[in-house]
Amino acid sequence: MRVTKHEHAALRIDHEGRTLLIDPGSFTLPLDDLSTVVAVVLTHEHPDHWTADHLNRIRRAAPDVPIYGPDGVARSAVEFDVTVVAPGDTVEIAPFTLEFFGGRHAVIHETLPAIDNVGVLVNGRFYYPGDSYAVPKGVDVDLLAAPLGAPWLKIGEAMDFVLAVSPRRAFGTHDMTLSTIGRDMHRARLTWATEQGGGEFLALDPGDSADV
């Protein structure tokens, strides 16, 4: 299984000739080579995690591909017939098993409404929390996509999240709002957190991949 990082929060997982896409949003360049897509996961409704342009492009290449997301996504993307998922749900769409965790987006500010968010575990090995610090308890994570920068993110909390998951390997995502200096500083903090559990942090840039 190969995990490829794209701009910001977008992720591509390729396995056995099929593709899963996660969170192609407004900070992500148009994706190509989409004919093998069998599913799309949108962790929440914010536009940096999905756009109609991305979904239309995917659907043109892979008609009727299912799109999974929490209730907030279904209400925001009504034209795409989103299949609603919630924490505790499991979806089988060969060759992928998707398990969902969490439930709520991390708090940006108390004046802003709370929204739905799901983290997704792929084939029991790769985990991405969306915009949250939801820990997949009882799971031995091989590869973790850990948020690096966001209006809701405090780097100490991101470090605690990585410490709690204790993955074998991790890389940073959700990073397009950071300068190069800020991104590298946060990568260094998450490198430390990953290494506390004996893991390795990977400095993946858009287009870079890691095999699981």
Side-chain angles (χ1 to χ4, degrees):
M1 187 167 70
R2 172 161 291 183
V3 178
T4 301
K5 173 184 164 51
H6 290 274
E7 293 84 7
H8 200 53
L11 301 163
R12 177 184 179 120
I13 298 94
D14 291 295
H15 187 49
E16 297 180 357
R18 294 177 174 86
T19 302
L20 168 69
L21 294 177
I22 303 174
D23 282 2
S26 57
F27 300 155
T28 303
L29 294 175
L31 303 172
D32 55 16
D33 191 17
L34 300 173
S35 62
T36 58
V37 175
V38 296
V40 178
V41 172
L42 307 177
T43 61
H44 64 283
E45 65 202 65
H46 286 159
D48 59 325
H49 291 255
W50 81 278
T51 68
D53 284 347
H54 277 299
L55 296 185
N56 282 323
R57 185 181 177 89
I58 294 164
R59 280 272 174 86
R60 284 195 296 270
D64 301 320
V65 66
I67 300 168
Y68 300 97
D71 186 62
V73 170
R75 286 185 277 106
S76 297
V78 292
E79 68 270 38
F80 293 103
D81 190 24
V82 174
T83 299
V84 173
V85 291
D89 288 349
T90 297
V91 172
E92 300 276 357
I93 183 157
F96 301 106
T97 299
L98 311 176
E99 299 173 68
F100 296 95
F101 295 83
R104 283 301 194 187
H105 191 288
V107 174
I108 299 173
H109 190 264
E110 62 183 9
T111 61
L112 299 175
I115 65 168
D116 298 326
N117 178 93
V118 289
V120 59
L121 179 71
V122 182
N123 289 353
R125 301 164 70 188
F126 169 66
Y127 182 64
Y128 167 60
D131 280 13
S132 80
Y133 298 123
V135 174
K137 294 181 179 178
V139 176
D140 190 9
V141 174
D142 285 329
L143 182 64
L144 170 68
L148 280 177
W152 49 269
L153 188 147
K154 179 181 177 182
I155 193 59
E157 294 174 347
M159 293 165 70
D160 284 341
F161 167 68
V162 174
L163 288 168
V165 176
S166 191
R168 290 190 179 91
R169 289 178 297 159
F171 66 92
T173 186
H174 208 287
D175 52 6
M176 288 294 284
T177 60
L178 297 174
S179 68
T180 299
I181 292 172
R183 181 203 63 193
D184 290 346
M185 181 179 68
H186 285 198
R187 280 178 173 176
R189 300 300 186 194
L190 296 194
T191 296
W192 175 89
T194 306
E195 290 174 348
Q196 299 316 294
E200 177 188 8
F201 187 85
L202 309 175
L204 300 188
D205 293 320
D208 290 344
S209 301
D211 291 330
V212 184

